[in-house]
């Protein structure tokens, strides 16, 4: 028997040793003889050296001839090797059979499915010198046209936005704003004119400059806005080059999308297709794409670095959006164990979903207040849907970071009044600007500080930049009549600062009175307690504040001298450090004594084990990451508060975090065995993975 077929070498590395070795290995399994021919030369397909001597780079056409037994099956397997690129990845590496990768989980859930690559590689641009005025004018027109097209595309995306992510339409608005920002638009036009270079090259240089500015920024959240700038510029570059992006629309089966990075526009498109999960090489928890996919309930793992290289189209994947684990081509035992995890997760999720709109009341009748921390207006709706009884922390930095100017009063007012309306009758605790001067888009070129965490930031910045501060306060006060606001000053380290901030606030109130503008005169004014000096004088501050909210993210950083963004010392960031717990306790006691509300809004408020500790320290109000709300509510509804307090007495006497954690975990397991014995979700506060 004889079988002859033409085969094409499609793998990046061509028919090199590895591929040739696989052919020889295959040939040895059959009682048949394989010959490979390229052009006029035919060689023995069972000899690795003969195959190599054919010199077949990618793109070569080869004729395979098999003579002997089982030729059809042999040929099919041979063809399979060629079409599977001999197991080589897109970037020309070889892939081991089963492989586990670890990234950052940004949207929970477990899925098992086939990989689908989405080409989001950067548009290649080359440098071209423009020869005369006419060419310059032509290039400027071309650039403006590409920008207009981008605006139109964004407008279309916005009008097609799926209901679940409607609230995120502002991301597309942000992209439109970036398109018009002078750092991008004007500077590119200037470069085309002055340096007489083509539009793509000029745009790339403007983007590089913005990259350099953002590089100085140490705040992950702000630095990530660079993703938005990149996505916008890529859109314009594609328009300039007349290239259509690889689309998701044509996908007919359910797949797990693998891409270098994805923009919010991709997510808008994704919803209409069969996307079970998403993996990207880059990205972070705070990227808009991450936030949106969580709203769509698509499990996502980002920051995998080489996912696009390691994963081939049609590889079988397991994506664990709870842990960040990705298994490529799992064996059957792994699949069975993940199927089981998936079932348990889905059961758990529907259980907590059922309780999210029920009150957070312990079995012995104590009401616990559960609110949400949010960073954009768009999160207000997901917050309500997750069962939050108001917003316990509205971080107001976003509008200050997206443009190169400070936002004006009207922009702030529009945002604040909308949020007030949406959350009413529940309260919104709105925090004044908490940002370092060198982290602000508008101020990026100011002097750098050696220790920004200890520098001119937050309330200190606001007390220095009175105009900026007053504008924000005016917008907050004006918006306060549309709902129920509580105003909170961050990073207060002493009484003088708080009184000064209140004095400025009163000045703004007087000016509103003069203009006969309404505002809520009863709006409570509180302090975000996040500096150890403030915890020490909590008794003094409590006499002047209407409420306290404890910000443990910073409190832990300042109390333990651990930079919260420095991975080198991450292991020393100990929420259960006895010093931290004593500080929290001191603030609760001081607040109780003066009869003011005390809540806690650090990340630990979303961690079940920590919440047990905090309940035992007397806290009854928590504000947390939206994703944690249903789980914490479920836990509270199963707890007798009395038993928590009785069980954890003595905790403040324990000497180390380790001892405290062991002690609490033991108690937790006996109080709620189902929750704390379960290893699937043994808990990781969101963002600390
Ligand atoms: C905190 O510091 O705990 C806090 C809630 O604020 P942020 O995380 O925004 O600093
Ligand atoms: Mg803080």
């Amino acid at each position: 028997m004889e079988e002859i077929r033409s085969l094409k070498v499609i793998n990046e590395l061509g028919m090199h040793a590895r591929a040739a070795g696989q052919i020889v290995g295959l040939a040895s399994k059959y009682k048949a003889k394989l010959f490979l021919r390229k052009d006029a030369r035919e060689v023995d397909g069972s000899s690795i050296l003969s195959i190599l001597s054919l010199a077949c780079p990618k793109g070569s056409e080869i004729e395979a001839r098999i003579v002997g037994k089982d030729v059809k099956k042999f040929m099919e397997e041979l063809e399979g090797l060629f079409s599977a690129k001999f197991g080589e990845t897109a970037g020309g590496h070889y892939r081991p059979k089963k492989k586990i990768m670890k990234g950052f989980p940004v949207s929970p859930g477990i899925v098992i499915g086939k990989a689908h690559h989405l080409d989001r590689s950067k548009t290649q641009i080359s440098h071209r010198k423009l020869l005369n005025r006419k060419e310059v004018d032509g290039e400027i027109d071309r650039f403006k046209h590409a920008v207009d097209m981008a605006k139109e595309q964004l407008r279309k995306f916005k009008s097609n936005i799926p209901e679940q992510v409607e609230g995120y339409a502002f991301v597309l608005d942000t992209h439109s704003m970036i398109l018009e920002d002078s750092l991008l638009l004007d500077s590119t036009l200037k470069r085309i004119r002055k340096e007489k270079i083509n539009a793509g090259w000029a745009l790339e240089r403007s983007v590089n400059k913005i990259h350099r500015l953002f590089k100085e920024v140490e705040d992950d959240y702000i630095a990530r806005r660079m993703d938005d700038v990149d996505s916008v510029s890529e859109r314009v570059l594609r328009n300039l080059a007349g290239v259509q992006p690889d689309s998701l629309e044509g996908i007919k089966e359910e797949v797990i999308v693998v891409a270098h990075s994805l923009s919010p526009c991709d997510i808008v498109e994704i919803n209409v297709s069969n996307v079970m999960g998403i993996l990207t090489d880059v990205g972070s928890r705070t990227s808009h794409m991450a936030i949106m996919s969580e709203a769509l309930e698509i499990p996502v793992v980002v920051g995998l670095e080489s996912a696009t290289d390691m994963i081939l189209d049609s590889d079988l994947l397991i994506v664990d959006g709870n842990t960040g684990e990705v298994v490529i081509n799992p064996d059957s035992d792994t699949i069975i164990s993940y199927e089981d995890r998936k079932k348990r997760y889905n059961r758990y999720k529907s259980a907590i979903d059922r309780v999210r709109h029920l009150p957070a009341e312990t079995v012995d009748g104590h009401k616990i207040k559960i609110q949400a921390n949010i960073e954009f207006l768009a999160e207000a709706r997901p917050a309500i849907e997750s069962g939050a009884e108001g917003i316990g922390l509205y971080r107001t930095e976003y509008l200050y970071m997206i443009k190169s100017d400070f936002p004006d009063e009207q922009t702030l007012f529009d945002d604040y009044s909308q949020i007030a309306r949406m959350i009413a009758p529940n309260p919104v605790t709105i925090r004044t600007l908490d940002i370092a001067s060198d982290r602000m888009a508008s101020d990026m070129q100011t002097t750098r500080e050696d220790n920004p965490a200890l520098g001119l930031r937050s309330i200190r910045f606001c007390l220095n930049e009175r105009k900026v501060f007053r504008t924000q306060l005016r917008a907050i006060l004006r918006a306060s009549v549309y709902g129920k606001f509580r105003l909170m000053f961050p990073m207060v380290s002493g009484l003088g600062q708080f009184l000064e901030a209140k004095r400025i606030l009163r000045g703004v109130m007087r000016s509103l009175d003069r203009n006969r503008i309404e505002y809520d005169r009863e709006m409570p004014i509180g302090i975000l307690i996040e500096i150890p000096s403030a915890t020490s004088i909590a008794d003094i501050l409590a006499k002047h504040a209407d409420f306290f909210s404890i910000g443990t993210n910073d409190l832990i950083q300042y109390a333990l001298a651990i930079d919260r963004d420095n991975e080198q010392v991450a292991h020393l960031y100990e929420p259960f450090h006895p010093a931290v717990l004593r500080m929290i306790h001191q603030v609760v006691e001081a607040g109780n004594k003066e009869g003011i509300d005390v809540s806690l809004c650090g990340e630990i408020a979303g961690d079940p084990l920590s919440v047990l500790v905090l309940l035992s320290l007397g806290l009854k109000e928590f504000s947390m990451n939206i994703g944690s709300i249903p789980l914490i509510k479920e836990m509270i509804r199963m707890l007798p508060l009395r038993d928590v307090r009785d069980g954890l007495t003595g905790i403040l006497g324990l000497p180390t975090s380790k001892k405290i954690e062991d002690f609490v975990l033991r108690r937790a397991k006996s109080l709620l065995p189902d929750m704390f014995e379960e290893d699937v979700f043994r808990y990781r506060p969101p963002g600390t993975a």
Side-chain angles (χ1 to χ4, degrees):
M1 298 281 275
E2 185 182 55
E3 181 82 12
I4 301 178
R5 240 174 259 184
S6 314
L7 302 171
K8 189 163 179 176
V9 179
I10 56 168
N11 58 311
E12 215 51 48
L13 297 176
M15 223 155 56
H16 283 271
R18 204 116 173 201
Q22 289 181 36
I23 296 173
V24 173
L26 178 66
S28 69
K29 283 182 8 196
Y30 284 91
K31 289 201 170 66
K33 191 94 184 121
L34 167 68
F35 300 95
L36 297 173
R37 172 194 295 276
K38 185 182 160 213
D39 304 326
R41 264 191 79 223
E42 188 176 75
V43 298
D44 178 0
S46 62
S47 151
I48 190 162
L49 292 176
S50 302
I51 299 175
L52 289 175
S53 75
L54 278 183
C56 296
K58 182 182 180 187
S60 306
E61 304 274 355
I62 286 167
E63 186 186 275
R65 186 163 65 90
I66 303 176
V67 188
K69 268 178 89 177
D70 282 341
V71 290
K72 276 214 164 13
K73 195 155 172 282
F74 187 172
M75 188 60 91
E76 263 163 35
E77 280 202 56
L78 182 67
E79 230 172 12
L81 282 182
F82 276 72
S83 60
K85 300 181 177 175
F86 300 98
E88 188 187 302
T89 64
H93 300 294
Y94 280 93
R95 168 176 46 97
K97 271 213 145 357
K98 172 182 154 188
K99 172 125 188 97
I100 297 177
M101 300 183 83
K102 185 98 170 77
F104 301 109
V106 295
S107 177
I110 296 170
V111 282
I112 303 177
K114 263 206 225 154
H116 177 92
H117 271 262
L118 201 62
D119 184 11
R120 286 292 181 269
S121 51
K122 278 184 67 121
T123 309
Q124 293 302 316
I125 20 168
S126 49
H127 174 261
R128 187 160 53 85
K129 194 83 189 152
L130 306 174
L131 300 176
N132 50 40
R133 176 79 188 270
K134 201 168 149 226
E135 279 197 12
V136 169
D137 288 346
E139 201 59 12
I140 284 181
D141 285 349
R142 228 167 60 78
F143 178 62
K144 284 185 176 163
H145 179 62
V147 170
D148 286 345
M149 271 175 79
K151 278 187 203 158
E152 181 54 23
Q153 289 155 348
L154 290 170
R155 202 194 51 71
K156 269 211 186 114
F157 275 126
K158 195 172 163 186
S159 62
N160 291 335
I161 199 158
E163 203 193 321
Q164 304 95 307
V165 285
E166 235 168 38
Y168 294 87
F170 79 101
V171 177
L172 304 176
D173 293 337
T174 305
H175 281 205
S176 300
M177 282 191 234
I178 293 173
L179 262 178
E180 287 176 7
D181 197 286
S182 63
L183 282 177
L184 196 89
L185 186 67
D186 298 351
S187 80
T188 305
L189 288 169
K190 239 189 248 162
R191 277 176 214 279
I192 301 175
R193 239 181 238 118
K194 267 187 139 175
E195 298 171 32
K196 298 196 174 43
I197 48 175
N198 55 316
W201 199 257
L203 176 60
E204 183 84 338
R205 295 194 48 182
S206 304
V207 172
N208 286 344
K209 171 138 193 242
I210 304 176
H211 263 280
R212 283 198 297 280
L213 290 174
F214 273 66
K215 231 192 196 139
E216 309 279 291
V217 177
E218 285 170 16
D219 186 310
D220 175 59
Y221 179 78
I222 303 169
R224 286 293 157 204
R225 298 287 71 79
M226 211 45 234
D227 295 348
D228 295 320
V229 176
D230 286 343
S231 155
V232 167
S233 73
E234 186 54 35
R235 178 169 297 287
V236 178
L237 287 174
R238 279 199 303 256
N239 291 342
L240 278 168
V243 180
Q244 288 293 318
D246 186 6
S247 170
L248 282 162
E249 272 170 344
I251 303 174
K252 294 285 174 277
E253 52 176 351
E254 291 204 317
V255 291
I256 293 168
V257 165
V258 182
H260 180 65
S261 66
L262 288 180
S263 77
C265 304
D266 292 317
I267 303 299
V268 172
E269 209 187 331
I270 269 169
N271 192 45
V272 295
S273 23
N274 301 316
V275 175
M276 306 162 74
I278 298 175
L279 304 178
T280 61
D281 292 338
V282 297
S284 74
R285 190 177 73 85
T286 46
S287 70
H288 283 137
M289 162 316 240
I291 295 167
M292 287 170 80
S293 26
E294 190 169 3
L296 288 170
E297 299 191 0
I298 301 174
V300 180
V301 177
V302 302
L304 286 156
E305 291 177 0
S306 55
T308 49
D309 204 20
M310 301 298 298
I311 299 169
L312 292 179
D313 251 345
S314 299
D315 269 348
L316 184 66
L317 300 177
I318 297 175
V319 177
D320 189 336
N322 304 321
T323 62
E325 207 153 78
V326 175
V327 190
I328 308 167
N329 294 326
D331 51 42
S332 44
D333 284 351
T334 315
I335 297 178
I336 292 167
S337 110
Y338 268 95
E339 285 287 5
D340 179 50
R341 266 172 104 85
K342 188 172 143 185
K343 263 194 225 127
R344 283 190 292 155
Y345 175 74
N346 291 343
R347 243 196 336 262
Y348 145 91
K349 193 166 175 312
S350 41
I352 61 172
D353 277 352
R354 276 197 298 274
V355 303
R356 69 191 159 147
H357 289 299
L358 300 174
E361 193 173 319
T362 61
V363 288
D364 49 350
H366 293 273
K367 287 219 164 59
I368 307 295
K369 194 184 267 174
I370 303 290
Q371 298 186 314
N373 293 349
I374 64 167
E375 298 180 20
F376 333 98
L377 179 59
E379 289 174 299
R381 193 165 126 186
I384 301 166
E385 279 167 6
S386 72
E389 304 160 71
I391 304 298
L393 171 64
Y394 181 24
R395 297 179 164 108
T396 58
E397 290 71 49
Y398 182 73
L399 291 171
Y400 291 79
M401 297 178 321
I402 53 173
K403 287 201 75 186
S404 50
D405 301 325
F406 284 107
D408 57 27
E409 186 185 318
Q410 192 58 33
T411 306
L412 297 173
F413 168 77
D414 287 346
D415 187 272
Y416 302 162
S417 53
Q418 278 189 64
I419 207 150
R421 271 200 212 97
M422 285 176 81
I423 302 299
N426 283 322
V428 176
T429 302
I430 186 162
R431 176 180 77 180
T432 57
L433 188 57
D434 182 11
I435 197 167
S437 62
D438 69 335
R439 294 181 181 197
M440 224 171 295
S442 44
D443 231 357
M444 277 189 292
Q445 279 139 331
T446 58
T447 39
R448 296 236 333 114
E449 295 180 313
D450 283 342
N451 289 310
L454 305 180
L456 185 65
R457 51 172 300 174
S458 205
I459 193 69
R460 307 164 182 190
F461 172 81
C462 290
L463 292 177
N464 241 33
E465 299 284 337
R466 303 268 163 125
K467 197 159 164 279
V468 177
F469 193 32
R470 283 200 188 97
T471 305
Q472 184 179 34
L473 293 176
R474 248 182 97 89
I476 293 172
L477 283 167
R478 280 177 54 204
S480 64
V481 292
Y482 293 92
K484 198 158 177 275
F485 269 174
R486 304 199 311 167
L487 180 69
M488 176 160 79
F489 297 121
M491 235 194 144
V492 169
S493 57
L495 179 63
Q497 232 171 13
F498 182 57
L499 295 181
E500 180 63 2
K502 285 216 293 189
R503 198 183 62 75
I504 296 173
L505 178 72
R506 277 199 303 276
V508 176
M509 287 173 163
R510 278 197 299 277
S511 95
L512 289 175
D513 285 337
R514 280 196 296 279
N515 298 325
R516 297 186 196 293
I517 297 174
E518 283 294 303
Y519 60 89
D520 176 7
R521 287 161 199 280
E522 307 300 318
M523 180 171 67
I525 317 296
I527 301 177
L528 181 56
I529 302 275
E530 50 186 346
I531 298 188
S533 62
T535 67
S536 305
I537 57 162
D539 56 331
I540 300 172
L541 295 173
K543 293 193 166 53
H544 301 267
D546 298 322
F547 66 92
F548 285 158
S549 182
I550 307 175
T552 41
N553 302 341
D554 276 316
L555 183 60
I556 298 167
Q557 138 161 295
Y558 294 125
L560 306 182
I562 301 300
D563 178 351
R564 65 194 252 198
D565 297 322
N566 182 347
E567 280 171 21
Q568 305 291 322
V569 288
H571 63 289
L572 299 171
Y573 191 88
E574 294 170 7
F576 288 172
H577 192 293
V580 172
L581 299 190
R582 286 175 189 209
M583 285 178 183
I584 295 172
H585 187 238
Q586 192 179 351
V587 176
V588 175
E589 296 272 280
N592 288 347
K593 194 152 169 248
E594 287 302 325
I596 64 169
D597 273 359
V598 182
S599 60
L600 188 140
C601 63
E603 283 297 328
I604 60 169
D607 169 26
L609 204 59
S610 304
V611 170
L612 290 183
V613 174
L614 299 170
L615 287 169
S616 81
L617 296 180
L619 274 153
K620 282 183 156 186
E621 289 184 24
F622 303 95
S623 186
M624 64 195 72
N625 183 296
I626 296 173
S628 307
I629 291 175
L631 174 66
I632 298 296
K633 270 199 169 177
E634 188 194 44
M635 179 180 88
I636 284 167
R637 290 177 56 81
M638 293 189 297
L639 280 176
L641 186 61
R642 199 183 332 99
D643 294 1
V644 175
R645 293 197 170 145
D646 291 350
L648 294 181
T649 26
I651 194 171
L652 289 174
L654 295 173
T656 64
S657 344
K658 177 82 183 71
K659 286 223 154 58
I660 293 174
E661 184 167 346
D662 291 348
F663 175 74
V664 181
L665 194 55
R666 268 199 313 277
R667 293 288 187 280
K669 282 182 178 175
S670 75
L671 274 168
L672 299 175
D674 284 352
M675 179 169 244
F676 290 95
E677 294 288 359
E678 174 65 273
D679 71 325
V680 185
F681 318 105
R682 254 274 329 157
Y683 202 71
R684 148 191 82 76
T688 59

